[in-house]
Amino acid sequence: MRVEIPVDLLKGREGDENAELILKLIAFFREARHEWAISPRDVDAVHAFLERHLPVLAQSYLLLAQKASMAQAWAPHEGVVGVVRVASETLTADIRDLERPAVLVVENAIYDWQMIEALARLLGCEDVIDAKAGSRLAVYNGGGKDGAIAHAVDQAAQFSRTKRVVLVIDSDSFHPADRTGNHEKAEGAARKGVSAHVLSFREMENYIPNRVLARQPKKTVGMSSMAKLLESLKTFSPE
């Protein structure tokens, strides 16, 4: 998540009372668990806060703030969307939310994650892969759509303010753009704070290109039927 610490929260009595929590939040940025959304004009306030509360590590944390502020300055305007803005009254709950791993719930944690990982590599989203490897992203096996939806809702309830739970399920549709019961179930989960996504195709396997299927190791048994299926697929229009 991208997190903003309002400059007023760093100053005076408020800064003193919240110092321990704010330093914990900054540690999240240093560990690359989350990204710091900070304006270059707020770096001086961060410097003063660090010198007051953490003089030994002030220089390294200040460098972190400076780098984050430059990234913010050069980011497109839409980069401000989705930023968690902490406040004095929400700080404790925000820390609790942000230290929990984000949750991805799928119907099959092995095969669905392999497809999502392949897409992440293709699209240059290595941060998603790194997050799972570093236990900052938990992938849960729903054992089917109903189990996945129930778990996603349960996980969302464990976050106080920023519900970092994503649900991905098959559409189970037979025709393009069909609306199925899965869409209604996903919308129900979304009303409870889950970021729900229903695949446009029938299921995750439908996204595997034919040329990838054709390159699978050839086995004597069953290859004739596979070849016929692939030839049939080639005759289909994209729709």
Side-chain angles (χ1 to χ4, degrees), residues 57-75:
L57 292 176
Q59 197 58 42
S60 60
Y61 278 20
L62 175 62
L63 182 62
L64 180 67
Q66 290 171 337
K67 288 182 176 179
S69 71
M70 291 307 296
Q72 174 84 358
W74 286 98

Side-chain angles (χ1 to χ4, degrees), residues 66-218:
Q66 290 171 337
K67 288 182 176 179
S69 71
M70 291 307 296
Q72 174 84 358
W74 286 98
H77 185 263
E78 57 268 20
V80 300
V81 177
V83 175
V84 177
R85 194 170 196 270
V86 302
S88 181
E89 60 273 14
T90 68
L91 193 52
T92 300
D94 286 330
I95 292 288
R96 194 178 299 118
D97 282 349
L98 293 169
E99 67 185 353
R100 292 174 60 87
V103 181
L104 169 64
V105 186
V106 291
E107 294 186 42
N108 186 305
I110 296 176
Y111 302 116
D112 290 349
W113 168 251
Q114 286 177 345
M115 178 66 84
I116 291 169
E117 181 182 12
L119 284 171
R121 293 188 188 281
L122 182 68
L123 298 173
C125 300
E126 282 80 5
D127 54 332
V128 175
I129 300 166
D130 293 343
K132 183 176 184 294
S135 299
R136 299 186 300 277
L137 171 65
V139 179
Y140 180 82
N141 180 61
K145 66 191 67 65
D146 290 334
I149 292 167
H151 184 74
V153 170
D154 179 64
Q155 285 295 305
Q158 297 183 44
F159 287 88
S160 299
R161 207 165 76 96
T162 307
K163 300 180 183 294
R164 296 160 49 235
V165 180
V166 175
L167 169 70
V168 179
I169 59 173
D170 299 341
S171 67
D172 290 344
S173 60
F174 284 100
H175 303 284
D178 266 2
R179 182 177 173 82
T180 68
N182 295 353
H183 292 85
E184 295 178 7
K185 292 176 181 178
E187 288 169 0
R191 287 192 289 271
K192 296 180 180 178
V194 177
S195 295
H197 177 75
V198 180
L199 298 177
S200 296
F201 291 175
R202 178 173 171 78
E203 55 191 6
M204 187 74 79
E205 291 85 341
N206 293 130
Y207 289 86
I208 301 174
N210 293 349
R211 62 181 180 275
V212 173
L213 296 174
R215 289 176 59 186
Q216 295 309 298
K218 291 181 169 53

Side-chain angles (χ1 to χ4, degrees), residues 12-43:
R13 183 177 175 182
E14 247 191 328
D16 293 341
E17 291 175 349
N18 294 308
E20 186 177 357
L21 291 172
I22 292 170
L23 290 171
K24 188 171 185 179
L25 197 54
I26 294 174
F28 288 163
F29 306 145
R30 180 175 56 82
E31 296 164 4
R33 290 176 65 92
H34 301 284
E35 293 182 16
W36 198 347
I38 177 173
S39 167
R41 62 177 175 269
D42 292 338
V43 172

